[in-house]
Amino acid sequence: MAGFNMLLLKTKQGDTEAMEILLNSYKPLMLALSYINGVFNEDLYQEFQIIFVQIAINKNFS
Amino acid sequence: MKNTIYRNDGNSDDYIIQNKFTAYLTSALMGHKSRYLEKQATIDKHEFLTAEDETYFMGNGFESEIEQIHTFTDAMFMIENNNLRQFLTGLKERQFKILILRVIFELPFSQIAFIMNEKESKVKNCYYYIINRHEKEERG
């Protein structure tokens, strides 16, 4: 499997497959944060995914 | 690449970048969650039932809406999309009522909970369960 940095670079270049792998690896974190008072909040989860995509594409970590 | 549920030792450049990314993402998500909760709290504050609302729902207005739900049940046979018709007919009466009150009447969850005599969280869960199930069935 490709390294994290490579996946991030590919994501910035518009590779949807790389984006999917990254999204899936952070899915548990986003799911865990999407619970409010023990109830899963679908809207919040979707907003988290949007934030994830924005950070993965726009932010530079190297 | 290690999944985020496993900690890495941060020895390689790859791990350092991944740790930076995870830290940034986590703080961004937490910040967004607190803003989301604040927003929801202000919405809920303006959504509470007044005494007038209560008398409206206790009186004729509420009954007429339930009557309209029955007319929607009859109208389901006219839906041309087979999958959607099968999905709607497969729903329990309670689930169907919640779906209609939310989608057609566009009532807030607090009012639906009042009409159905249930907790608001239960109504929310039921609604999102129906939506998720429909999405899954559409995807096949």
Side-chain angles (χ1 to χ4, degrees), chain A:
Chain A
M1 186 188 272
F4 184 82
N5 202 11
M6 185 57 73
L7 284 173
L8 207 56
L9 280 174
K10 281 185 179 175
T11 303
K12 285 183 200 301
Q13 288 160 2
D15 188 336
T16 49
E17 222 170 284
M19 171 65 83
E20 210 178 316
I21 294 169
L22 272 184
L23 251 176
N24 281 335
S25 71
Y26 281 91
K27 202 174 174 181
L29 174 72
M30 289 191 282
L31 281 174
L33 288 173
S34 303
Y35 279 83
I36 298 173
N37 297 331
V39 181
F40 179 67
N41 192 314
E42 179 83 28
D43 292 342
L44 189 58
Y45 179 62
Q46 281 180 7
E47 286 182 25
F48 281 168
Q49 284 180 318
I50 293 167
I51 290 172
F52 179 90
V53 173
Q54 283 172 348
I55 290 173
I57 291 173
N58 299 326
K59 208 80 184 140
N60 194 10
F61 292 93
S62 52

Side-chain angles (χ1 to χ4, degrees), chain B residues 1-14:
Chain B
M1 189 189 76
K2 280 189 174 179
N3 200 311
T4 50
I5 56 170
Y6 303 109
R7 284 179 188 278
N8 64 52
D9 49 15
N11 277 339
S12 68
D13 285 348
D14 220 40

Side-chain angles (χ1 to χ4, degrees), chain B residues 43-106:
Chain B
I43 291 170
D44 287 346
K45 222 161 79 181
H46 296 291
E47 252 190 8
F48 69 93
L49 288 176
T50 59
E52 276 180 18
D53 291 334
E54 286 201 21
T55 47
Y56 169 75
F57 283 114
M58 297 295 271
N60 293 328
F62 163 61
E63 282 158 10
S64 70
E65 276 169 356
I66 291 295
E67 268 172 32
Q68 282 183 53
I69 288 176
H70 292 302
T71 57
F72 277 110
T73 320
D74 299 335
M76 264 192 333
F77 295 104
M78 293 165 76
I79 297 172
E80 285 179 6
N81 185 335
N82 275 338
N83 290 345
L84 183 63
R85 194 173 57 235
Q86 273 180 4
F87 175 77
L88 289 174
T89 46
L91 290 176
K92 289 175 190 164
E93 196 187 334
R94 170 179 166 269
Q95 292 174 330
F96 185 71
K97 275 183 186 173
I98 289 173
L99 190 71
I100 293 296
L101 289 170
R102 181 69 183 166
V103 178
I104 309 291
F105 295 108
E106 294 179 346

